[in-house]
Amino acid sequence: MTTFNAQQYKSTTRAQWEDAAEAWDRWGPFIENWLGQATRRMLDAAGITTGSRVLDVAAGAGGQSVAAARRAGQSGHVLATDISPAILKYAAKAAADAGIATIATRELDGEHLDVIPSGYDAVISRVGLIYFPDQQAALAGMRAALRPGGKLSAVVYSTADRNGFFSIPVGIIRRRAQLPPPAPGQPGPFSLGTPGVAEEVLATAGFKRVTVETVPSPVRMRHAADCVRFERESFGALHQMMSGLSEAEREDTWAEIGQALAQFEDPEGFVGPCEMLVVSGVR
């Protein structure tokens, strides 16, 4: 069995997001529609309101940063952080395009948040926490960044069986690349999805009044092929898993993924099963 190397994983993750940054931004309107409800529930749970100071960890192209800044208003502030400087350029552009001057960006490893202690009213993370090798280090940094009584809220996937649009491709890739499932505590899309796990992880990190809300988030597209294209262009994690395959093997793998996802297509279109959790806690 190959030993998990957290530093190598993070280096590869950074490189994959550097490569996927343009595509993630290009798919932005679809992503905001797909994750819109979960994002709104995250911002609600984080208690973001006029004047809030918000830290966005693993901000990506900044869609949720913009949404948070709109709630916080001119008297608020959002710091969007990510391990990938390329994708942060798109976050900065998204803020500029929206006419928002209250968003700053900074390249930061989410496990080493070098920010003002107790400097934020809210910390948010949309589909980022699940990919940190050391979730406790990340959560400790998030908690330290919050003022007493400040709130953390994060969007994560629930269980694999509720997220066929993603778990089916992951399963196919694992089989073809001969990858074992992640061990408990290792990063992965469904690492916080099992009932009780997110609550335990946040409680261990010192958060109080931990809540978990389920948010149905079906992936709606015209065709299964559109979903394959979206994942192929934008999901760095899938490319990371395929890094040991040849180019021909990767093409065969994507073809099999397309055939498997076709089960969710009918004459009305493609509806990929997806369920998000909004996990929240208070410092």
Side-chain angles (χ1 to χ4, degrees):
M1 181 180 294
T2 303
T3 302
F4 178 74
N5 185 318
Q7 200 55 49
Q8 182 181 13
Y9 171 88
K10 286 203 287 188
S11 296
T12 305
T13 297
R14 182 180 187 275
Q16 293 292 356
W17 280 112
E18 291 284 279
D19 290 341
E22 183 276 331
W24 193 255
D25 175 69
R26 178 161 35 85
W27 284 92
F30 166 77
I31 293 168
E32 295 313 311
N33 183 60
W34 164 42
L35 296 179
Q37 184 180 1
T39 300
R40 289 187 291 274
R41 297 304 301 136
M42 174 181 70
L43 301 181
D44 289 344
I48 298 171
T49 186
T50 302
S52 291
R53 292 183 58 82
V54 183
L55 174 62
D56 188 354
V57 181
Q64 70 288 334
S65 304
V66 169
R70 286 182 173 137
R71 290 200 184 197
Q74 290 298 313
S75 59
H77 177 74
V78 177
L79 176 60
T81 69
D82 201 279
I83 199 172
S84 164
I87 208 164
L88 282 177
K89 291 179 180 177
Y90 290 104
K93 182 178 183 299
D97 290 348
I100 296 173
T102 56
I103 296 176
T105 61
R106 187 187 307 170
E107 180 187 349
L108 280 178
D109 182 337
E111 295 178 5
H112 303 281
L113 292 171
D114 182 17
V115 297
I116 299 171
S118 304
Y120 295 89
D121 302 296
V123 175
I124 59 174
S125 185
R126 189 173 75 177
V127 199
L129 182 59
I130 48 179
Y131 293 119
F132 293 145
D134 191 342
Q135 291 175 352
Q136 285 301 313
L139 288 167
M142 294 176 189
R143 186 173 182 276
L146 285 167
R147 62 167 174 78
K151 297 177 180 179
L152 160 72
S153 190
V155 175
V156 304
Y157 293 103
S158 69
T159 52
D161 63 298
R162 307 287 290 179
N163 286 278
F165 93 101
F166 196 8
S167 62
I168 288 173
V170 166
I172 291 170
I173 294 169
R174 284 198 186 285
R175 171 171 50 78
R176 283 179 167 262
Q178 299 182 7
L179 298 174
Q186 286 185 2
F190 313 111
S191 58
L192 292 175
T194 301
V197 170
E199 293 94 329
E200 180 180 356
V201 168
L202 264 66
T204 299
F207 286 94
K208 309 299 183 185
R209 302 201 295 276
V210 176
T211 62
V212 176
E213 179 182 1
T214 301
V215 183
S217 305
V219 178
R220 300 183 186 278
M221 293 181 153
R222 291 183 62 188
H223 303 290
D226 296 323
C227 186
V228 174
R229 184 162 58 90
F230 169 52
E231 295 184 8
R232 183 168 185 167
E233 292 179 1
S234 308
F235 280 36
L238 298 183
H239 288 282
Q240 187 174 31
M241 292 173 65
M242 279 198 248
S243 60
L245 298 179
S246 69
E247 186 60 35
E249 289 170 330
R250 293 178 197 180
E251 290 299 325
D252 285 345
T253 300
W254 284 116
E256 182 178 348
I257 289 170
Q259 293 168 0
L261 290 183
Q263 67 183 286
F264 303 121
E265 182 180 321
D266 63 25
E268 301 298 315
F270 173 84
V271 182
C274 175
E275 182 179 84
M276 295 294 184
L277 303 176
V278 177
V279 301
S280 311
V282 180
R283 173 176 174 179

